């Protein structure tokens, strides 16, 4: 079965609000985590990544938080914009393994 | 710099037909991957190539074969297509084992 999963399949957010997308993983040996954004009809695009020796990493308008104790990952998007409407996937990479395991994705819809 | 390119973009096959999906990357990456994406699901790894000259099975390899033609190109072959192989196929590449994977635009395959 899947080792990575997202808590909610859909998220509706008011434009300008902050979004929080959650992800749980089960492989305690995973040492690398990554968030992707996929727009309709396109391939996944990298948003941000984090390694297991960190608990927080910030990018432009995005922050990833990693809680290894409860095996939880979250993506925060500040001041959500219409262009943020997409499916968001978390993925994890176990140690000594080339493979990324993807969750099922959360569809984010931004309301004007 | 085109990144990861895939051909064809769309394909319709009859059950039992064969075809090869082509993928090329111009980023000089060592590792390449083939995923399939079905509605409402995350990406599942079919095969990967950690480096030129090597290939390994992923999560769902049955019914597929791959060839790492050179460092740039990684093809996926369906020898006898089945309706269960109707999906969107993505190729990806990465520089190192635990690092960002760059995705192509995808091939939408329908098997009737």
């Amino acid at each position: 079965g899947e080792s990575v999963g997202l808590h909610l399949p859909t998220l509706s957010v008011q434009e300008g609000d902050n979004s929080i997308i959650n992800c749980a993983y089960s492989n305690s040996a995973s040492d690398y985590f990554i968030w992707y954004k996929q727009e309709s009809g396109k391939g996944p695009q990298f948003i941000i990544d984090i390694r297991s020796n960190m608990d927080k990493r910030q990018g432009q308008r995005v922050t990833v938080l990693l809680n290894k104790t409860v095996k939880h990952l979250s993506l925060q998007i500040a001041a959500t914009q219409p262009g943020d409407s997409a499916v968001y996937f978390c993925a994890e990479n176990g140690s000594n393994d080339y493979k990324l395991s993807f969750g099922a994705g959360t569809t984010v819809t931004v309301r004007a | 710099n085109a990144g990861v390119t895939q051909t064809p973009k769309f394909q319709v096959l009859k059950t039992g037909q064969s075809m090869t999906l082509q993928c090329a990357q111009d980023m000089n990456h060592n590792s390449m991957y083939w995923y399939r994406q079905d509605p409402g699901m995350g990406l599942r790894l079919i095969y990967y190539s950690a480096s030129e000259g090597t290939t390994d099975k992923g999560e769902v390899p049955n019914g597929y074969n791959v060839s790492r033609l050179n460092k740039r190109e990684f093809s996926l072959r369906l020898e006898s297509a089945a309706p269960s192989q109707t999906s969107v196929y993505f190729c990806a590449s990465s520089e190192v084992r635990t690092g960002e994977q760059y995705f192509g635009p995808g091939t939408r395959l329908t098997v009737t």
Side-chain angles (χ1 to χ4, degrees), chain A residues 8-85:
Chain A
L8 292 174
T10 62
L11 179 66
S12 180
V13 183
Q14 185 69 39
E15 182 178 357
D17 286 352
N18 297 334
S19 303
I20 299 176
I21 306 166
N22 295 303
C23 181
Y25 65 95
S26 58
N27 186 354
S28 57
S30 295
D31 61 358
Y32 177 71
F33 304 86
I34 190 167
W35 281 99
Y36 282 94
K37 172 186 179 182
Q38 186 176 26
E39 296 175 278
S40 181
K42 297 184 179 180
Q45 293 177 285
F46 171 86
I47 302 173
I48 192 167
D49 58 3
I50 190 167
R51 299 194 183 275
S52 58
N53 60 352
M54 304 172 68
D55 53 20
K56 180 179 180 179
R57 191 161 187 228
Q58 289 185 290
Q60 189 177 8
R61 280 201 309 118
V62 295
T63 300
V64 57
L65 299 177
L66 175 63
N67 185 330
K68 294 180 286 293
T69 302
V70 295
K71 296 200 281 285
H72 182 268
L73 190 70
S74 68
L75 177 70
Q76 300 177 3
I77 305 173
T80 310
Q81 302 169 359
D84 294 327
S85 292

Side-chain angles (χ1 to χ4, degrees), chain B residues 13-73:
Chain B
L13 292 177
K14 293 189 189 312
T15 298
Q17 288 184 317
S18 62
M19 79 161 295
T20 300
L21 281 65
Q22 306 286 354
C23 173
Q25 51 93 8
D26 61 3
M27 296 172 282
N28 203 36
H29 285 167
N30 288 312
S31 303
M32 297 186 74
Y33 312 82
W34 276 106
Y35 292 89
R36 61 176 288 172
Q37 185 176 35
D38 300 302
M41 298 181 70
L43 288 84
R44 292 184 292 170
L45 184 66
I46 304 170
Y47 270 93
Y48 67 101
S49 172
S51 61
E52 187 179 356
T54 68
T55 60
D56 286 284
K57 294 178 180 179
E59 183 184 353
V60 288
N62 291 344
Y64 306 95
N65 285 301
V66 291
S67 295
R68 183 75 183 266
L69 304 171
N70 48 55
K71 192 171 185 179
R72 289 187 64 247
E73 298 172 288

